[in-house]
Structures are given as C-alpha cells and as structure tokens.
Amino acid sequence: MPLNDEPAIRRLTDRAEILDVVGGYATALDTKDWTALASLFTEDATWEYTGGGERLTGPEAIVARIAAALRPLAVTQHLFGNHTVRVDGDEAEHACYVQAQHVAKDGRKYLGAGRYADRLHRTADGWRFTHRSLTSMWSDGDTAVVLG
C-alpha cells in the first residue's frame, strides 16, 4: 500500500477505531464503568439478547440492564475475537465471537460464549453502536451465577 493511499488509510483507521469501541465495551463491562459503557451508544441505539428475547433502546436502558446483571458479581472477563468489520461511509457492521467468564463473590463460575453482531455510526465523537445483538452459543458452569 503506498503511503499516500488515502482510501486505504481511511479503511484501516475506521477499522481500528471500531475495534477500539468494541474493546471499550468489554473494558467498561469488566471495570463496571457504566458512564463509559453508555458513551459507546447513540441515543437511539438498540441492544438485543436473542437467547432471552430482550430488546432495549437507549443507553440508559441498556446500561441499567447490563449493570443489574454484573454488579452482584466479584469479577467478569469478556474476551472478543475473530472480528469482521465492513465500513460504508459513516455506517459500519461488525461481528465477533465472545467468551465471558462470570465469577460470583463466593467463587462459583459461569462461562458463556456467543457472537455479537453490531451496527455502528460515525458521529462527531467517533464511532458509536446503533445496534448490538448478542446470540448465545454455549455455556458451562453454574447458571445461578448469572441468573441470581
């Protein structure tokens, strides 16, 4: 790639910025930084958990749902991989696999794995999720850790 290939540089920059948003999501979950989590979504964003039939709209509702699930836990670790990114102007699609370890305060564990499918929009503040959908693929461990 020539150093002056602006379209290629833009594609690489967009991809890196989108992956930063995705990584920021995992970090916000694992550090329980609800303000940072909310900042990753547009005001009209939707979030879905297909296994539970849940669909929420807006950062406040999304964060409230996620915080309620994660606050009682001692620690979580969300790992993302196998990313695909497609950018079309100011719109993008992203997908990746996730494995998420959830550890209760008494040490019980639950490991869940799935796939995220996302849509993002370039805003004045950078890329933000407009839609995030999680599909569960498999799990292992004590489901009571995440079900309460």
Side-chain angles (χ1 to χ4, degrees), residues 102-124:
H102 303 79
V103 181
K105 291 180 180 167
D106 64 5
R108 291 175 298 126
K109 294 181 179 85
Y110 175 80
L111 177 64
R115 185 171 192 275
Y116 278 105
D118 306 314
R119 290 190 305 270
L120 299 97
H121 176 75
R122 186 193 324 266
T123 72

Side-chain angles (χ1 to χ4, degrees), residues 1 5-16 87:
M1 171 178 67
D5 187 348
E6 290 183 27
I9 293 168
R10 176 83 265 166
R11 284 191 304 273
L12 291 171
T13 301
D14 286 340
R15 179 180 169 79
V87 177

Side-chain angles (χ1 to χ4, degrees), residues 12-92:
L12 291 171
T13 301
D14 286 340
R15 179 180 169 79
E17 290 172 357
I18 289 166
L19 293 179
D20 283 348
V21 172
V22 173
Y25 182 91
T27 300
L29 297 182
D30 295 339
T31 61
K32 299 178 183 175
D33 185 342
W34 312 128
T35 301
L37 182 61
S39 76
L40 300 174
F41 292 91
T42 62
E43 286 304 311
D44 60 347
T46 55
W47 178 93
E48 287 184 278
Y49 176 56
T50 61
E54 295 178 72
R55 183 178 173 99
L56 303 168
T57 301
E60 187 174 310
I62 295 166
V63 170
R65 161 58 175 90
I66 293 170
L70 299 185
R71 258 193 205 109
L73 300 175
V75 67
T76 61
Q77 185 180 48
H78 291 77
L79 303 174
F80 296 144
N82 295 13
H83 299 271
T84 60
V85 177
R86 288 179 188 83
V87 177
D88 183 10
D90 289 339
E91 305 298 322

Side-chain angles (χ1 to χ4, degrees), residues 69 73 102 110 142-148:
L73 300 175
H102 303 79
Y110 175 80
D142 187 347
T143 57
V145 170
V146 293
L147 297 178

